Structure formats: C-alpha cells, structure tokens
Amino acid sequence: MLSPRVLRTEVLAGLVVALALIPEAISFSILAGVDPRVGLFASFTMAVTIAICGGRPAMISAATGAVALVVAPVVREHGIEYLFATVILGGILQITLAVLGVARLMRFIPRSVMVGFVNALAILVFSAQLPHLIGVPWLVYPLLAVALAIIWLLPRVTRAVPAPLIAIVALTALTLLVHLTVPTVGDEGALPDSLPVFGLPDVPFSFATLQTIFPYAMGVALVGLMESLMTAKLVDDITDTHSDKTRESWGQGVANIVTGFFGGMGGCAMIGQTMINVKTSGARTRLSTFLAGAFLLLLVVALGDVVALIPMAALVAVMIVVSVGTFDWHSVTPATLRRMPAGELIVMLVTVAATLATGNLAVGVVLGVLTAMVIFARRVAQLVEVTRVLDESGTTCTYTVHGSLFFASSNDLVTQFDYAGDPESVVIDLARAHVWDASSVAALDAITTRYASRGKTVAVVGLNPPSSSLHDRLTGTLS
C-alpha cells in the first residue's frame, strides 16, 4: 500500500505528465502524417500498458518523434491501415528480440555514449520548443517568464504540489481572466471526442504485405528498444535503483501490439516526460505511469474543451526546465574537458552531433558505440609488446609477446620479427598473450611461412587453452 504522501505525489505527477503529453502527441501525429487522435490514442495505450508490463517503474512511454519518423513513409506511401499493421509487427519483433536477450547488450554502451545521449536529448527537447517561441504574440514571452519563475522558485517554498502543475493552472487562469490572445493547446490540433476502439488492420494478410511493412517494423522495434533501454538506464542512475531490462523490452512489444490494435501510431519511452515524472515531480511507482495515460484520455475526451484553453507558453516552460535539468552540465565544464581522455570526448561529440544531425537518438547511440569500439580497438592494439631474446649459444631466438592479439593488433605483429637476421630456430612465446580471432592466427601463420621460406623453424608455445583451441582449429586453413 502506498502512503497518502506517496499517493499524492504519484497522482499529481501523472496529471502533470498527461498535460505535457498532449501537445507532444499532437506534434508527433503531424510528423507522422496522421490525425492527432492517432498519436493521442497511442500515448494512452502505451502508457497504460507499459505501466503493467514494463520493467522500469515510473518511466513514461507514449507516441514519440523517433517512431514517428520511422512510420511516416508507411503512411505516406501505403496508408494508415498499413501503419497499424507495422506497429503490431514491430511489437512482435520487440518481444522476439527480448527473448533473444537484446537487453544484455546495454552493458556494451560506454559512459561517454550515455552522456552524449543525455546531452543530445536535452538539446532536442529544447529545440522542439523553439517553434512555439518564434513568430508568436509578444505576450507569450512574459507568460513564459512567469511560468519559468513559478517552476524554479515554488519548490523552495513548498513541494506539496508539483510546480509545473501550478504553473499550468496559473497561466491558464490568467489568460482566461485577462482575455489574452496567445497560442493554446487547441491550436495544435483537434482533440478526439471518443474512446479508442479495438480493430484489426484493414490490410491483405499476405506475404507481399509482410514484405512491405517488415523493414519499417524492424525500424520501430530497434529504435523503440534502444531509446527505451537507454531511458531506463538513465532513470536507474537517477533513482539509484535497478530495473528489469528484459521485461521492459518485451513490455514495449506488448504495448505496441495493443497500440496497433487500438488505432495508435506506436511509441516507446519518452525521456522528456519521464524526467518530468521522475526528476521534477518525484514519482517512483507504476501508478504515475498508469495515471498519466488515464488522465490523458480523460482530459482529451471528457475535458477537451478545457484542455484546449491551456496556453502553450506554460507547457513550453515545463519542457525548457526539463531540458536544462536533463543536460549534463558537469560534462562540459573546462575542468572536466581538460581531464577527460580525447577518445572519450570524441565519442561524446559524435553521439551528440549524429543525433542532432538526424534528429534520431538511436542513430546517435549506434554511431557513438561504433566510434567507441574503434577507439578502444586502437588503444588496445597499441598495448601489444614484443621482446626479442637470443640464447647464449646464438642458435635459438625467443620472441615473447605481451597483450591481446586481434585484428587491430595482429596486423603490426608481422613486422616485429627479424626474419633475415634470426638463427635457424625461433620460438614465439605467447604465455603472456591471448589470441582472440582468425586474424591473429593468420598473422602467426604468415610469420611461420616467412621463416620457413628462409629454411628456419618456428615453435609457437605458451598458448592458454582457449587460444590453443582456436589456433589448432584454424592454423594452416586461412591462406
């Protein structure tokens, strides 16, 4: 049982998130080329389903821009029914990937990519607010300033009610009482006046249909899982708790399947709204996630006329505070930049730059991880050392190899030997090395062949069991 204080926090957090979701869902619907109700229904079904099935309590899932970018071509080229089929198949693929253990891949994402992900996300959240601040009536700016002041200053007085909720209510009341003409939620698009209805996608159940939607469904699955798992890891760090990433993976799949059957555009974890829920409002349980979806549906269907009157300045202020709070300012301080290895900075910058260039967090993370892998391989390759010792009689030369032998380091290994000057007997001692791949075995074979062409014999000794097994299996078969 939740205590009254925790229950109040969860309820109010869910209400604030629901209010913040409305304009976002409408915007993502427009981005995907569908009616606003498709994005709003998706946000409802995603939030409610993931609250039950997800592995990260308090994380918000709804319609997102990343998924909207993936499915937009489906709507444009094939129609909205193919969109629903794509979302359902994407959910099935997410469940399949969860069963195959995709969540375990999270341990290969380095901290520098995570920092780049967070900073790029903060920039994207902030830049998404700029259209609401450009070419608008001048009254928007003082309203924005008032909302920001409330959100930043009110918590110093009381935390009984989330400051963003107070800001939204206060600005709405002010604009109605003074009859201010400013952009409102209603200007973003028509709100639905009915509940979502279950239905099967009206598409041919054929192999041709599967061929059409499969690439987009795989995109939905991969982008959704990547953003959701990254967001879950971020919430883990903020709350100092552990989440079940595998459950979150298949939970996202179930949520997308439900969303597709109820006429939604699909989605995944939303880091902006999750930060409002966890960091700004202090929510920690599944109840806030469930109520965010429930309140969203209640607000747009039953209270749509009231919600339409909320000034966009209030919601923009909430998202600006979220973006500022999300950005890792410590990572860009001069002291941190001086101490940080150049490779780490490059990885972070690549992640941020790729994300901002494409508007897709998943692309930024993939390129960041690839960059980190290349830098790591280059760094490890430089750690390989070869020492040469000639015995007292001058008849045997021993080369001792230190370090990990793999494709990046083994290419230089061939050049470390004196093929012409060594005696007839050569020993390569690998007791302090490890052979990781076929490239290393091929390099050892090349060394042996060069000595053999000069009539000299080579003995490879000291291999540990895994290295010996790989070497014995591949030697002599790679040329």
Side-chain angles (χ1 to χ4, degrees):
M1 287 291 293
L2 300 178
S3 67
R5 183 180 62 82
V6 173
L7 182 61
R8 182 190 64 210
T9 299
E10 300 296 314
V11 171
L12 294 177
L15 179 57
V16 173
V17 171
L19 290 169
L21 277 173
I22 294 171
E24 295 281 315
I26 295 173
S27 299
F28 297 147
S29 299
I30 296 170
L31 181 61
V34 297
D35 188 89
R37 72 179 60 222
V38 178
L40 291 166
F41 287 163
S43 296
F44 161 68
T45 54
M46 288 293 300
V48 169
T49 307
I50 206 67
I52 300 169
C53 300
R56 173 64 260 179
M59 190 168 77
I60 304 296
S61 292
T64 61
V67 172
L69 288 171
V70 173
V71 300
V74 180
V75 179
R76 185 171 58 250
E77 298 171 14
H78 305 286
I80 195 168
E81 294 296 330
Y82 278 82
L83 163 65
F84 301 147
T86 299
V87 171
I88 294 170
L89 180 58
I92 294 172
L93 291 173
Q94 285 178 325
I95 294 175
T96 303
L97 290 171
V99 172
L100 293 176
V102 69
R104 290 194 291 271
L105 297 177
M106 283 298 295
R107 67 179 183 270
F108 294 110
I109 298 179
R111 182 185 178 279
S112 51
V113 173
M114 192 68 188
V115 173
F117 169 83
V118 169
N119 290 346
L121 180 65
I123 296 171
L124 286 178
V125 170
F126 181 83
S127 61
Q129 312 314 310
L130 296 180
H132 301 294
L133 300 174
I134 299 174
V136 295
W138 69 270
L139 286 171
V140 168
Y141 304 112
L143 287 176
L144 177 68
V146 170
L148 289 173
I150 292 174
I151 296 171
W152 265 316
L153 299 177
L154 186 63
R156 300 182 181 182
V157 179
T158 177
R159 293 181 177 270
V161 180
L165 181 58
I166 296 296
I168 292 170
V169 173
L171 261 66
T172 303
L174 178 63
T175 55
L176 292 177
L177 291 174
V178 188
H179 302 289
L180 300 179
T181 303
V182 292
T184 63
V185 171
D187 297 329
E188 296 296 301
L191 301 178
D193 54 7
S194 62
L195 298 174
V197 178
F198 179 87
L200 296 175
D202 186 15
V203 298
F205 288 88
S206 64
F207 183 71
T209 300
L210 181 63
Q211 283 183 308
T212 299
I213 66 174
F214 183 82
Y216 302 105
M218 182 58 74
V220 169
L222 294 177
V223 169
L225 284 181
M226 194 171 299
E227 290 208 20
S228 298
L229 293 176
M230 290 289 285
T231 304
K233 189 175 187 300
L234 180 61
V235 177
D236 288 353
D237 295 339
I238 292 173
T239 61
D240 196 22
T241 57
H242 178 71
S243 60
D244 187 339
K245 304 297 190 302
T246 298
R247 178 175 174 178
E248 182 63 35
S249 299
W250 65 255
Q252 289 289 330
V254 173
N256 272 308
I257 292 173
V258 172
T259 297
F261 281 125
F262 278 91
M265 57 179 278
C268 61
M270 295 190 75
I271 188 151
Q273 277 65 23
T274 297
M275 290 300 100
I276 294 176
N277 197 44
V278 174
K279 206 168 185 180
T280 307
S281 302
R284 292 293 184 271
T285 74
R286 299 177 185 274
L287 180 61
S288 59
T289 305
F290 180 87
L291 289 178
F295 281 142
L296 171 66
L297 190 65
L298 176 66
L299 289 169
V300 299
V301 175
L303 301 174
D305 293 338
V306 176
V307 172
L309 299 175
I310 296 175
M312 285 301 301
L315 299 176
V316 168
V318 173
M319 298 310 296
I320 288 177
V321 171
V322 168
S323 66
V324 172
T326 300
F327 195 90
D328 187 351
W329 296 100
H330 177 72
S331 68
V332 294
T333 59
T336 301
L337 295 177
R338 283 195 300 269
R339 289 194 301 266
M340 194 68 65
E344 302 289 317
L345 292 177
I346 292 172
V347 170
M348 183 178 73
L349 290 174
V350 167
T351 304
V352 173
T355 300
L356 298 181
T358 62
N360 191 325
L361 289 164
V363 172
V365 170
V366 169
L367 291 180
V369 170
L370 290 176
T371 303
M373 291 171 61
V374 171
I375 292 174
F376 174 77
R378 182 174 179 273
R379 187 179 300 161
V380 173
Q382 294 173 343
L383 298 178
V384 173
E385 296 181 2
V386 179
T387 57
R388 178 180 182 272
V389 176
L390 188 66
D391 68 353
E392 295 180 358
S393 63
T395 59
T396 302
C397 181
T398 301
Y399 286 89
T400 302
V401 182
H402 303 255
S404 294
L405 298 180
F406 63 110
F407 62 90
S409 60
S410 59
N411 290 328
D412 294 332
L413 184 66
V414 180
T415 65
Q416 304 296 313
F417 295 82
D418 185 5
Y419 301 101
D422 284 340
E424 294 185 357
S425 177
V426 177
V427 176
I428 301 177
D429 184 1
L430 298 178
R432 296 174 179 83
H434 188 96
V435 178
W436 286 103
D437 58 10
S439 297
S440 303
V441 177
L444 292 171
D445 284 352
I447 294 168
T448 302
T449 300
R450 289 194 184 188
Y451 277 117
S453 67
R454 291 172 169 80
K456 302 175 181 180
T457 61
V458 177
V460 179
V461 301
L463 288 165
N464 58 39
S467 299
S468 178
S469 175
L470 179 67
H471 182 266
D472 292 345
R473 188 168 67 252
L474 296 180
T475 186
T477 67
L478 299 174
S479 59

